Amino acid sequence: MGLQQSRIQDRLGLLQVVAINTAMASVTKTLTAFTREKMVVDRERTKGDYNVGQYLLAKVAAELPVSAVFPVIFGCAVYPMCGLHRKIGKFAKFLSLLSLESFVSSGIGMSVGSLVSSPEAANALGPAVMVIFIVFGGYYCRAENVPVVFRWIPRVSLIGHAFEGLAKNEFEGLEFEARAGTADVKTGEAALERIGFSDSTVGGSAVRLGRILLFNWIFTYNTLSKNKPKFQEVEVQQPPL
């Protein structure tokens, strides 16, 4: 991907699609598997085999490496093919952000799955939630232009934070071809300023994604704890004397 003025929009569009694709792939996988798995877990919890904390700790430990595989493979293919910023450090941050976003998306899938009782309901609700995060993801509308009542959505949009971090990582340090005496964007920093990301940092985006991930783990734990299966006690009637 070159450094012409038209490539600024191309890079932003590509990064937004990358963020959306990573999030949707992870949440879809989790929604299908988690809701089916939850039925088995409920039965085993009823028998007292383990508690919610033990289950979630084991699941997270097993899922994190798996959740990182797709974004790493995807990123290793997309980054060089599209000619993004050719520095090893930039590439490493790119893969790290995609992996973290995948973890967060998986956490959202667990939250949604903990609320519903069937895979069909989870697969209906999950994509609807993600579409909201896409719309308020920083590419289609800026946070300051969002109606006041919806201002909280960009703050919790994993796609928005991932896109912001990816854009900062990609554009910082770039110099674009600009015609003399025109209003052409000359640097990546100027391009970031135009979309409201001038004060952003890759680390800040990662921290915000981490907070969303932690919230979803806690939410899942609390929901599963409150929704423990309950059964009516069977009263054994004594035979008449």
Side-chain angles (χ1 to χ4, degrees):
M1 192 174 293
L3 296 172
Q4 301 90 345
Q5 291 294 302
S6 61
R7 294 300 187 181
I8 296 175
Q9 190 67 26
D10 293 346
R11 288 175 190 267
L12 290 172
L14 172 65
L15 295 176
Q16 176 73 354
V17 170
V18 166
I20 293 172
N21 187 61
T22 301
M24 292 300 295
S26 182
V27 76
T28 301
K29 170 184 67 65
T30 303
L31 287 171
T32 302
F34 184 72
T35 47
R36 291 176 179 171
E37 182 181 285
K38 189 176 67 169
M39 301 176 188
V40 178
V41 171
D42 285 343
R43 289 198 297 267
E44 294 176 346
R45 285 173 56 203
T46 302
K47 294 188 295 183
D49 291 345
Y50 46 79
N51 58 40
V52 176
Q54 292 169 331
Y55 162 65
L56 284 180
L57 183 62
K59 180 169 181 61
V60 168
E63 286 286 329
L64 285 183
V66 177
S67 296
V69 171
F70 171 76
V72 168
I73 295 175
F74 176 66
C76 287
V78 169
Y79 202 91
M81 288 178 62
C82 297
L84 296 177
H85 207 143
R86 296 179 181 178
K87 288 186 178 180
I88 294 298
K90 298 280 188 180
F91 180 52
K93 290 179 181 179
F94 178 83
L95 295 181
S96 298
L97 280 171
L98 291 190
S99 298
L100 181 56
E101 184 193 11
S102 179
F103 298 157
V104 178
S105 183
S106 180
I108 291 175
M110 292 171 63
S111 292
V112 173
S114 69
L115 291 171
V116 299
S117 57
S118 68
E120 292 76 15
N123 285 316
L125 180 60
V129 172
M130 297 304 289
V131 167
I132 295 174
F133 291 154
I134 291 171
V135 172
F136 293 93
Y139 182 74
Y140 301 107
C141 61
R142 294 178 61 165
E144 58 266 28
N145 297 329
V146 175
V148 176
V149 69
F150 297 125
R151 290 277 173 90
W152 61 273
I153 300 179
R155 299 191 187 101
V156 300
S157 173
L158 77 160
I159 293 175
H161 294 309
F163 172 62
E164 183 177 348
L166 291 171
K168 185 70 174 183
N169 181 60
E170 172 63 20
F171 279 86
E172 197 170 44
L174 287 180
E175 294 186 1
F176 295 99
E177 299 173 3
R179 295 167 295 178
T182 65
D184 286 350
V185 176
K186 298 180 181 180
T187 65
E189 287 77 6
L192 290 170
E193 185 176 0
R194 286 195 173 188
I195 59 174
F197 291 167
S198 57
D199 296 327
S200 305
T201 63
V202 175
S205 296
V207 168
R208 288 187 287 273
L209 286 171
R211 290 172 180 167
I212 298 173
L213 176 59
L214 182 60
F215 170 82
N216 280 280
W217 283 347
I218 295 173
F219 181 86
T220 302
Y221 174 83
N222 289 333
T223 304
L224 291 178
S225 297
K226 293 178 181 178
N227 294 340
K228 181 178 180 180
K230 298 180 180 179
F231 301 94
Q232 184 176 1
E233 294 183 3
V234 177
E235 296 182 359
V236 179
Q237 294 184 351
Q238 297 294 333
L241 296 176

